[in-house]
Each structure stands twice: as C-alpha cells, then as structure tokens.
Amino acid sequence: MCNIDIKQVLEDKKKYLDLLLLADEQENMIDRYLERGEMFVLESEDVKAVCVVTDEGDGEFEIKNIAVEPGSQRLGYGRRMLEHILFLYKDRGTAMYVGTGDSPLTIPFYESAGFKKSYQIDNFFTEHYDAPIFESGRQLEHMIVLKKKLT
C-alpha cells in the first residue's frame, strides 16, 4: 500500500457515483442520503474507497455507503476507511450504525470491527429496490442493522 490520504468531499459528490453504486445499486436510494451525509474518499495514488456517514440525531450516526474500487478490494482499503471513520466520529456521538444485506461478505467485515447485530428491517431490499440484488449467489431481502458504541 502506498501513501494513503483520506479527505472529506464537500462538493460535487456525484462525481463518485460509479463507486457509490457498488455499495448501493440504485441511484435514487443514494440520493436520499448523499447531500445530507458527510462524504470521504480514500486515495492511494488514485481514489480507492468512498464512504458516506449521516447524522441520525441524538448522537447516533450511520454509515450509509462504504465501497472500494473492484480492482482494489481485499487489500485493506475498506478496513482503513472504516477505522478512520470510527476514529473521526468517536468523540462526536454515542453510536455508529450500518445497514447491510444478510451476506457472508459484509456481516463478518463489520463484526470484526466491533459492530454487533442490532435489529433487522424485513423485506427492505425487495420493497425499496427496483431490481433484485444478489450477493454471494443469493438474493438480498432483509437489511441487517449493526451497531457499534462510539464512547
């Protein structure tokens, strides 16, 4: 890994739409949180990862999108971004949430960073997305929401 720089994106967030769509496959769903969220990019020569975090009130934040360029996946960039976000928000609130599909690829990633399953939103992906979403060969239906205490 070369030098890594993580910086906040304050304008022209849609410039990273292709990357955002890797983690949230429908643009109108991204539009629901992109402008109200704080966006960060991780660069190592070029952009490797992106993350959007929203303030949900009462000291609670939510990672709405975290994605790594396909050619850079499984090289630690997602982990570095997640660690940076958790460090950045640790004194700003009490909890960080993330909602994801019930997938063997994503749940262990967050659990290894200290997130615990909090609750489930039944039929989230089948009711809110125009087309079925598949991960690891199976269709995502329910959103699993994980929580990590920040303080």
Side-chain angles (χ1 to χ4, degrees), residues 2-136:
C2 300
N3 289 339
I4 290 179
D5 185 30
I6 300 175
K7 58 187 176 191
Q8 188 170 356
V9 176
L10 299 173
E11 55 191 31
D12 198 19
K13 295 177 183 179
K14 281 274 188 136
K15 176 170 92 173
Y16 301 97
L17 183 61
D18 287 348
L19 195 48
L20 292 165
L21 285 166
L22 293 174
D24 195 342
E25 298 180 16
Q26 195 165 296
E27 187 174 352
N28 71 335
M29 294 298 282
I30 293 170
D31 289 340
R32 294 170 67 176
Y33 58 78
L34 187 59
E35 288 308 314
R36 73 180 182 92
E38 291 185 308
M39 182 178 195
F40 303 88
V41 293
L42 180 150
E43 297 177 342
S44 179
E45 296 179 9
D46 56 2
V47 174
K48 302 291 188 192
V50 65
C51 183
V52 179
V53 179
T54 58
D55 185 338
E56 298 300 317
D58 297 324
E60 297 180 333
F61 295 90
E62 184 173 350
I63 296 171
K64 291 289 193 178
N65 191 310
I66 186 167
V68 177
E69 279 289 343
S72 299
Q73 292 175 357
R74 307 197 84 53
L75 298 175
Y77 294 114
R79 170 80 47 216
R80 288 286 294 271
M81 176 65 87
L82 183 59
E83 289 170 353
H84 178 80
I85 293 301
L86 293 171
F87 177 79
L88 196 62
Y89 285 85
K90 72 178 176 59
D91 295 325
R92 292 178 57 183
T94 57
M96 180 67 72
Y97 289 87
V98 62
T100 189
D102 189 5
S103 164
L105 295 178
T106 54
I107 302 277
F109 171 74
Y110 292 112
E111 288 178 332
S112 71
F115 283 82
K116 307 261 188 255
K117 290 180 183 173
S118 181
Y119 60 94
Q120 175 174 302
I121 302 173
D122 290 336
N123 305 310
F124 181 84
F125 294 102
T126 53
E127 291 178 1
H128 292 89
Y129 286 81
D130 297 337
I133 299 173
F134 291 88
E135 200 166 294
S136 297

